[in-house]
Amino acid sequence: MQLENATVFVTGANRGIGQVFVREVLARGARKVYAAARDPASITLAGVEPVALDVTRPDQVAAAAARCGDVTLLINNAGIARMGDFLADGAVEDARAQLETNYFGPLLLARAFAPVLKANGGGAMLNVLSIASWISSPTLAVYGSSKSAAWSLTNGLRHALREQGTQVLGLHMAFVDTDMTRDIQMPKSTPEDIVRAALDGLAAGAEEVLGDALTRQVKQGLSAEPGVYLAPVKR
């Protein structure tokens, strides 16, 4: 999908990767950008239309789709991350919270905007995933399970929306230098590099983008014997 004259809807657009997505689609010629966040006052970029959206609230998702009927590209970027493994105190509550945002959020958005994309010629959907979709670590175990669910969702949506001509792209990457990863001491990509790779892939018609060298290495390791996912990631 080409971004020239596109109308783009970005969730979690007030900071981090979402904010960079907004800047980059504008730079690539998007006609209009809806920048969605829980607090629309937190949207500070010029040239966009702020939208109040909590992706876990079906009423707000439905209202956004009704209001933004000209969208040709949906970027499901909004997400949360809580550190901890499955046996830690609060793990069940953390799992529910992360699944609500990282899995059910994109599911609600996809269902609401699929008819919009169809009406506008098919368009595209870009889901921001993670290397944690495939591998686990003690600190990211619960978060990773939500991203694994989002990966499966993306694969299913790709098949469900193919007939209406909607391109569905899954973006996987390792650590990115944003507020979310401030306390993680690991090598990090810049959000600009990740977003450019994603949008280049979108323009090329890709269905999956692996945003950095570590993610490409892990993807190759999924079919290794033993599979890379059998060993926990060490920080």
Side-chain angles (χ1 to χ4, degrees), residues 3 19-29 195-196 199:
L3 284 166
Q19 190 175 72
V20 176
F21 264 120
V22 171
R23 287 204 305 263
E24 189 66 20
V25 297
L26 285 170
R28 296 191 184 207
V195 168
R196 291 187 194 111
L199 296 180

Side-chain angles (χ1 to χ4, degrees), residues 4 14 28 38 52 65 73 92 99 101 113 155 167 173 176 187 195 203-204 224:
E4 187 73 28
N14 57 325
R28 296 191 184 207
R38 284 191 177 95
L73 170 61
V92 173
L99 282 165
T101 299
F113 276 92
N155 293 334
Q167 177 187 357
M173 67 276 191
V176 182
V195 168

Side-chain angles (χ1 to χ4, degrees), residues 131 172-176 189 194 197 209-217:
I131 196 173
H172 295 266
M173 67 276 191
F175 296 110
V176 182
S189 301
I194 295 298
V209 167
L210 311 180
D212 52 69
L214 179 58
T215 301
R216 291 188 288 272
Q217 178 183 345

Side-chain angles (χ1 to χ4, degrees), residues 3 61 103 125 161 170 176:
L3 284 166
V61 172
Y103 172 75
M125 183 183 304
L161 297 176
V176 182

Side-chain angles (χ1 to χ4, degrees), residues 120-205:
N120 294 322
M125 183 183 304
L126 193 162
N127 290 347
V128 176
L129 305 172
S130 172
I131 196 173
S133 304
W134 300 324
I135 54 177
S136 189
S137 71
T139 55
L140 292 173
V142 180
Y143 168 77
S145 67
S146 72
K147 285 299 187 177
S148 293
W151 177 43
S152 182
L153 170 65
T154 302
N155 293 334
L157 289 171
R158 185 176 297 119
H159 304 316
L161 297 176
R162 185 171 285 122
E163 185 176 347
Q164 72 174 41
T166 299
Q167 177 187 357
V168 177
L169 187 152
L171 169 62
H172 295 266
M173 67 276 191
F175 296 110
V176 182
D177 191 12
T178 65
D179 290 346
M180 186 181 288
T181 64
R182 183 189 299 115
D183 297 327
I184 297 176
Q185 303 304 313
M186 292 286 283
K188 300 172 186 175
S189 301
T190 67
E192 290 78 11
D193 284 346
I194 295 298
V195 168
R196 291 187 194 111
L199 296 180
D200 287 348
L202 189 75

